[in-house]
């Protein structure tokens, strides 16, 4: 894995995500350690101080994923908010954890299912 980019998370998202990690059974979220590591290294800001170009919970990120150079636009949600509607991704999904805290122009290499790795690059963020 390459050097991890700096990430920013709001105090509200940080508190809610740590609470989620505490109550989810380990077998329900095998990549919990990766999300917890991301939260642990994040710069945490008050909600009012969050930059507009940072992916936070409930924001919509347009991003490029390689290999394959596919572009996606997904709203980052908590697991209980995933209702089968298109355009949502859970923060507990590998790409959801990867998106959290990144800002426009940043990219991160992230483990994907099957032992592969993907690169996620943020193109735009809307709240």
């Amino acid at each position: 894995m390459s050097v991890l980019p700096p990430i920013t998370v709001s105090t509200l998202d940080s508190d809610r995500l740590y609470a989620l990690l505490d109550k989810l059974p380990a077998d329900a979220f095998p990549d919990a350690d990766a999300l917890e590591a991301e939260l642990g290294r994040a710069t945490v800001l008050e909600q009012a101080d969050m930059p507009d170009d940072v992916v936070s919970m409930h924001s919509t990120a347009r991003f490029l994923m390689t290999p394959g150079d596919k572009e996606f636009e997904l709203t980052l949600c908590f697991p209980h908010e995933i209702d089968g509607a298109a355009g949502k991704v859970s923060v507990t999904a590998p790409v959801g954890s990867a998106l959290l805290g990144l800002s426009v122009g940043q990219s991160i290499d992230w483990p994907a299912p099957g032992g592969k790795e993907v690169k996620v690059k943020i193109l735009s963020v809307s709240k």
Side-chain angles (χ1 to χ4, degrees):
M1 209 182 254
S2 61
V3 176
L4 295 172
I7 61 171
T8 307
V9 177
S10 73
T11 52
L12 179 64
D13 285 353
S14 178
D15 291 348
R16 287 180 176 173
L17 290 167
Y18 275 120
L20 174 71
L21 288 168
D22 284 345
K23 71 180 180 190
L24 273 181
D27 60 346
F29 183 24
D31 296 323
D33 290 347
L35 178 57
E36 192 162 3
E38 285 295 274
L39 289 172
R41 71 181 193 83
T43 298
V44 181
L45 299 177
E46 291 297 325
Q47 191 73 33
D49 298 329
M50 285 293 292
D52 289 337
D53 69 343
V54 171
V55 180
S56 56
M57 296 306 298
H58 303 120
S59 62
T60 300
R62 193 166 56 85
F63 59 96
L64 187 67
M65 197 157 67
T66 52
D69 287 335
K70 290 185 182 169
E71 198 173 297
F72 297 89
E73 187 170 88
L74 296 171
T75 300
L76 190 59
C77 298
F78 290 97
H80 70 274
E81 297 168 329
I82 300 298
D83 54 12
K88 294 181 179 181
V89 64
S90 172
V91 69
T92 59
V95 74
S97 295
L99 291 171
L100 182 70
L102 290 176
S103 59
V104 172
Q106 285 185 312
S107 61
I108 191 169
D109 295 326
W110 199 256
K116 297 183 168 114
E117 194 170 89
V118 295
K119 180 184 283 286
V120 176
K121 181 176 182 174
I122 306 300
L123 302 174
S124 68
V125 176
S126 56
K127 303 292 181 193

